[in-house]
Amino acid sequence: DAKTTQPPSMDCAEGRAANLPCNHSTISGNEYVYWYRQIHSQGPQYIIHGLKNNETNEMASLIITEDRKSSTLILPHATLRDTAVYYCIVRVADRGTRSQGGSEKLVFGKGTKLTVNP
Amino acid sequence: DTGVSQNPRHKITKRGQNVTFRCDPISEHNRLYWYRQTLGQGPEFLTYFQNEAQLEKSRLLSDRFSAERPKGSFSTLEIQRTEQGDSAMYLCASSLDHRDTGYTFGSGTRLTVV
C-alpha cells in the first residue's frame, strides 16, 4: 500500500503557483520523498526528490517539513501543460540492501489530478 | 538516445492468446523495471532487472507472466493465456544504479483482452 496521502484533485490558474501537498506521517529516517507526474496517455515523469532539505530544480521546488511528515511540491508558474496526475512516493534510500528494507519498487498511490485552467 | 522505447503501443488480443511486449531502455541504464497500470490507478510494480538478472518480482506477477532481459539490454514481458483482467497499460522504466535521479519511463503498451 502507498505510504502517502494526497488530495484527489486540485485546480490552479495558469501563471500562478501550484502547491501540491503530500502527507507521509510514517516516513522512516532512510526514506526519500519522490515526486512524479503523469500526463494523459504517457508514462510517469520524474520531477524531483529529497530527504530532508528543500530541493529545487528546473521543474519544481520541494519543501519538506522539519519533522518530515509532510511535503509540498511547488510549480512556480503553472502552465496548461502542467495538467497531469502528480504522485508523491516515499522510498528507502539504500536501494541495494533488501535486508535493510531496500527495494527497487516505487509504490504509487492514486495521486493528485492537477488541472491548470486558462 | 531518445529515451525508453516500448513496442507495440497498442495490442488487442483474444482471451487465451499469448502476447509479448518489448522494452528498449536508455542504453547506459543497467536497471530495468516493469509496471502495470489500470484505469484510474497508479502504476503497480511487477518486476526489476539489474543487467540480465531478475532481482525482484511482485506477487502480481503470476505464473502466466514471464519477463526476460537476456543480454542486459532490451527486455520482453510475455503473458500466456491472457485473461480480461490482464487488460492494462504495461509500463517499462530504466535507471542508472549510481545516480539516484529517478526512473525514466516509456510511454507504455496498452493491452486490451477481448
Side-chain angles (χ1 to χ4, degrees):
Chain A
D1 292 338
K3 298 171 66 174
T4 62
T5 304
Q6 299 177 254
S9 63
M10 292 184 65
D11 285 272
C12 177
E14 187 178 17
R16 304 296 293 269
N19 298 293
L20 292 94
C22 179
N23 286 320
H24 30 80
S25 58
T26 61
I27 192 169
S28 301
N30 63 347
E31 288 183 315
Y32 281 91
V33 179
Y34 284 78
W35 283 84
Y36 282 77
R37 73 179 182 184
Q38 188 171 25
I39 296 170
H40 183 62
S41 296
Q42 298 182 22
Q45 176 190 24
Y46 165 80
I47 301 173
I48 198 167
H49 75 283
L51 184 62
K52 52 184 177 181
N53 297 322
N54 297 337
E55 302 288 343
T56 295
N57 63 20
E58 65 277 6
M59 290 183 68
S61 294
L62 174 60
I63 308 298
I64 302 174
T65 58
E66 193 168 341
D67 64 6
R68 302 209 325 122
K69 292 185 177 182
S70 66
S71 60
T72 301
L73 179 75
I74 300 173
L75 308 178
H77 305 286
T79 71
L80 299 180
R81 288 177 297 180
D82 292 321
T83 292
V85 177
Y86 286 77
Y87 297 100
C88 170
I89 300 163
V90 296
R91 196 190 74 169
V92 176
D94 187 355
R95 293 161 32 135
T97 306
R98 297 189 68 186
S99 63
Q100 295 178 12
S103 170
E104 283 300 317
K105 68 180 179 184
L106 298 174
V107 180
F108 290 81
K110 292 189 177 182
T112 296
K113 170 76 166 125
L114 174 69
T115 302
V116 181
N117 300 305
Chain B
D1 201 331
T2 57
V4 177
S5 176
Q6 292 189 248
N7 288 289
R9 287 298 309 276
H10 303 275
K11 178 71 176 179
I12 301 174
T13 191
K14 292 184 178 179
R15 189 172 49 187
Q17 297 295 305
N18 299 343
V19 293
T20 299
F21 311 138
R22 177 177 170 125
C23 172
D24 287 90
I26 292 175
S27 56
E28 65 266 29
H29 286 184
N30 64 340
R31 297 188 171 195
L32 185 146
Y33 317 83
W34 285 98
Y35 283 75
R36 181 176 72 183
Q37 186 174 25
T38 54
L39 200 62
Q41 304 296 317
E44 298 173 292
F45 172 80
L46 291 178
T47 190
Y48 146 65
F49 290 85
Q50 182 166 329
N51 299 313
E52 67 276 8
Q54 189 174 19
L55 297 184
E56 193 170 353
K57 290 196 295 186
S58 163
R59 282 172 287 183
L60 293 175
L61 213 65
S62 76
D63 56 5
R64 296 185 298 106
F65 288 68
S66 62
E68 294 183 343
R69 194 182 182 198
K71 297 183 179 179
S73 57
F74 73 91
S75 175
T76 57
L77 177 68
E78 180 183 18
I79 308 174
Q80 296 182 328
R81 306 181 302 282
T82 53
E83 302 172 356
Q84 285 189 321
D86 297 331
S87 294
M89 175 75 82
Y90 290 84
L91 293 160
C92 177
S94 68
S95 74
L96 281 171
D97 63 358
H98 63 275
R99 286 172 48 190
D100 199 2
T101 55
Y103 303 165
T104 302
F105 280 85
S107 295
T109 294
R110 179 163 296 285
L111 173 67
T112 303
V113 182
V114 297

